[in-house]
Amino acid sequence: MFSVGGDQGTPSVNPEINISKPQISPEEPLHAELRSFLHSIRTRQRPLVSLEDGRRALAVALEVLAQIEAHSSKLRLT
């Protein structure tokens, strides 16, 4: 992550920009998604990712794939 100003993270070449690494879990993403989904069902708590956010993320992913396909066609790679 990059942040501007403040004292968080490690200073970079530009002293106003700091760099920090967020802590990440080594869990397989699909397993984490399913575990979170089941947890929200069992406990009746709100899911970490809302239906609307999930739908928007899927739309972005599908658009990226469509753009890759379109670019590949232009270059005659497919």
Side-chain angles (χ1 to χ4, degrees), residues 2-3 5 7 9 20 26 28-29 35-38 40-42 46 52 54-57 65 68-71 73-74:
F2 296 92
S3 59
D7 297 330
S20 61
E28 198 279 323
R35 186 177 46 74
S36 174
F37 174 72
L38 291 174
S40 67
I41 290 173
R42 288 179 182 138
R46 297 190 105 184
E52 295 80 16
R55 187 176 176 100
R56 280 192 292 268
L65 290 174
I68 290 170
E69 181 66 32
H71 186 69
S73 294
K74 286 180 186 176

Side-chain angles (χ1 to χ4, degrees), residues 8-46:
Q8 299 174 347
T10 307
S12 65
V13 176
N14 182 335
E16 292 184 20
I17 299 176
N18 296 309
I19 304 169
S20 61
K21 253 187 166 174
Q23 189 172 354
I24 350 175
S25 171
E27 187 174 13
E28 198 279 323
L30 184 56
H31 182 263
E33 180 181 341
L34 292 173
R35 186 177 46 74
S36 174
F37 174 72
L38 291 174
H39 175 75
S40 67
I41 290 173
R42 288 179 182 138
T43 61
R44 297 185 183 267
Q45 293 179 351
R46 297 190 105 184

